[in-house]
């Protein structure tokens, strides 16, 4: 089935290439407007002789460029290397830092949710104006959303380390 589909696609492509190399006509209407068509059945059309397609080969690379082209992207010889033990220690430190950040962010999220109190935080003494209260509630909601996203990102990052 796959061969049949591949053969069909190749056939369609070859047919479209053959169609692109058919005759071209330049048609001029009564207003002098020029239009190119693949049929010359209308009045005012003349066949146009177009030159064949010219294929230009790709430029050749110098020998030094060919040597470096085959190599994979690696660091230069004088690039500083880190031994395996040092890299493992760095990875361990990174994992610990991320775990600490996750713990702090989860604690911050818990505090924000407690203060938010399901959308009805307690009013403070300096919030006699209801607009100030609403602004604080909106800020708390935004902070909770941001903190939840931070927790998710930190968990993803920790999962990628394992």
């Amino acid at each position: 089935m796959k061969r049949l589909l591949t053969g069909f696609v190749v056939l369609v492509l070859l047919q479209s290439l053959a169609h692109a190399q058919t005759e071209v006509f330049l048609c001029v209407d009564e207003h002098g407007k020029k239009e190119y068509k693949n049929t010359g059945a209308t009045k005012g059309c003349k066949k146009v002789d177009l030159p064949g397609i010219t294929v230009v080969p790709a430029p050749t690379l110098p020998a030094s460029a060919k040597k470096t082209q085959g190599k994979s992207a690696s660091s230069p010889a004088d690039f500083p290397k880190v031994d395996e033990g040092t890299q493992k220690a760095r990875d361990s430190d990174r994992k610990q830092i991320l775990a600490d950040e996750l713990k702090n962010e989860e604690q911050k999220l818990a505090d924000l949710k407690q203060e938010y109190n399901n959308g009805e935080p307690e009013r403070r003494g300096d919030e006699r104006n209801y607009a100030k209260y609403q602004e604080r509630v909106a800020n708390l909601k935004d902070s909770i959303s941001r903190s939840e996203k931070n927790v998710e990102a930190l968990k993803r990052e920790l999962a990628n380390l394992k």
Side-chain angles (χ1 to χ4, degrees):
M1 181 70 182
K2 194 173 187 179
R3 288 183 190 170
L4 182 63
L5 181 61
T6 305
F8 180 72
V9 170
V10 169
L11 183 64
V12 170
L13 288 174
L14 289 174
Q15 184 181 6
S16 67
L17 287 174
H19 182 69
Q21 296 176 357
T22 60
E23 299 173 330
V24 177
F25 296 89
L26 174 62
C27 303
V28 182
D29 65 4
E30 61 273 357
H31 302 291
K33 182 179 172 188
K34 294 180 180 180
E35 188 174 16
Y36 290 94
K37 296 183 178 183
N38 62 348
T39 59
T42 58
K43 186 178 178 184
C45 293
K46 295 179 183 176
K47 184 177 176 185
V48 179
D49 287 328
L50 297 175
I53 298 174
T54 306
V55 178
V56 179
T60 58
L61 295 173
S64 61
K66 287 181 182 177
K67 289 179 185 175
T68 58
Q69 189 179 27
K71 294 182 180 178
S72 64
S74 60
S75 2
D78 60 344
F79 195 77
K81 302 278 185 186
V82 177
D83 64 285
E84 191 173 326
T86 305
Q87 187 61 45
K88 283 185 179 182
R90 288 178 181 177
D91 290 343
S92 176
D93 290 347
R94 180 170 185 241
K95 189 174 181 179
Q96 185 60 44
I97 290 169
L98 287 171
D100 291 344
E101 285 183 22
L102 178 61
K103 181 182 169 190
N104 291 339
E105 197 64 37
E106 286 175 336
Q107 181 60 45
K108 178 182 173 184
L109 179 61
D111 293 344
L112 285 169
K113 283 184 175 182
Q114 183 179 4
E115 184 181 352
Y116 187 63
N117 193 20
N118 293 326
E120 297 177 5
E122 293 184 27
R123 288 180 77 166
R124 296 182 190 159
D126 64 340
E127 294 175 334
R128 292 185 181 155
N129 185 349
Y130 190 68
K132 282 187 177 181
Y133 173 75
Q134 286 180 323
E135 183 180 340
R136 184 171 66 94
V137 171
N139 286 340
L140 280 171
K141 189 174 180 181
D142 290 343
S143 295
I144 289 172
S145 174
R146 190 173 30 258
S147 187
E148 287 172 341
K149 289 178 184 176
N150 288 346
V151 167
E152 289 173 19
L154 287 166
K155 285 181 179 179
R156 267 194 318 271
E157 191 69 29
L158 277 170
N160 287 339
L161 289 178
K162 296 178 184 177

